[in-house]
Amino acid sequence: MTATLIFVLALSVLIGLSLGVLGGGGSILTVPILVYVAGFEAKEAIAASLFVVGVTSAVSVFSHARAGRVMWRTGLLFGAAGMAGAFVGGLLGGHIPGQILLIAFALMMVATSIAMIRGRKKKADAGAEAPKHAELPLFRVLLDGLVVGLVTGLVGAGGGFLVVPALALLGGLPMAIAVGTSLVVIAMKSFAGLAGYLTTVELDWGITLAVTAAAIVGTLIGSRLAGRIPEAALRKSFGWFVLLMGAFVLIQQAPGDLRGPIALAVAGGAVVAAAVCWLFVRSCPLRKSNRTASRQDSLPAPV
């Protein structure tokens, strides 16, 4: 048990690192770590992840705010609407079978990862910078916050990897600002969702608090790295990471004797899809990433 706990805590540092750098991904890591390594039941892992991610996000937001990467009005309004949805989702989640919650969790990860990898289509006037820093419309903020909050409370996920796309892809915020602002939203929604789950679920507070402490260490490191990584690379790497984790969770929910064949089928399908994209699709993100990287390599490094 001691070795297992040490391993869980080491992995928990990655939870905070993900939140600090990407503004999300904390629950993506927390739920699998608690289920597959710490041995939590699905509902207990979801509830614990809400606490871990909520506290870790609240700590991380301060360093982002000092660097000017938080839009407080957008974050607080989005978070307030999200709290209502998250509390209802937490109440509902306590009465839904754990396997269904994990499958829903994984399917949502896959869908969101595809959106992040594809990115937001830029308009012809790419030089216009003003909209990137404008506060989002009130109705959109409240509606998106309510929907994302409901999903977060229900499956214990969807904090960063739904809020960041909502802010970056739909709202047009730069990735670094979307990351910082999302942490405000995640903290608020996580605590509301936790309140809903605690009406039906009991937590192992010893392990939960230990994981939280390790995650805080990671987020302090991650927040120092945020804003130093190119936006496109940050978004795409986030998307591929979420896609891999989603596939892993889906495979784990399959019957034991089918997991190997399903994993091979998924890997083979990914290779074929990548080859088709590279060879036959002119706007393939893989080729676009290569060209972008080449152009960036040819430019002088910023001072």
Side-chain angles (χ1 to χ4, degrees), residues 221-247:
I221 298 171
S223 60
R224 293 182 176 273
L225 300 176
R228 300 182 183 181
I229 304 172
E231 179 176 336
L234 186 61
R235 174 175 49 78
K236 288 183 183 297
S237 62
F238 186 22
W240 286 111
F241 168 73
V242 173
L243 181 60
L244 290 173
M245 291 300 297

Side-chain angles (χ1 to χ4, degrees), residues 14-29 57 60 64 69 116 159-165 167-168 174-183 186 218-219 221-243 245:
L14 299 178
I15 298 170
L17 192 62
S18 174
L19 280 166
V21 174
L22 299 172
S27 54
I28 298 173
L29 288 171
S57 299
S60 183
H64 283 272
R69 295 192 294 266
M116 293 298 290
F161 73 76
L162 283 182
V163 176
V164 171
L167 297 176
M175 188 67 174
I177 293 178
V179 166
T181 305
S182 75
L183 292 168
I186 294 168
T219 200
I221 298 171
S223 60
R224 293 182 176 273
L225 300 176
R228 300 182 183 181
I229 304 172
E231 179 176 336
L234 186 61
R235 174 175 49 78
K236 288 183 183 297
S237 62
F238 186 22
W240 286 111
F241 168 73
V242 173
L243 181 60
M245 291 300 297

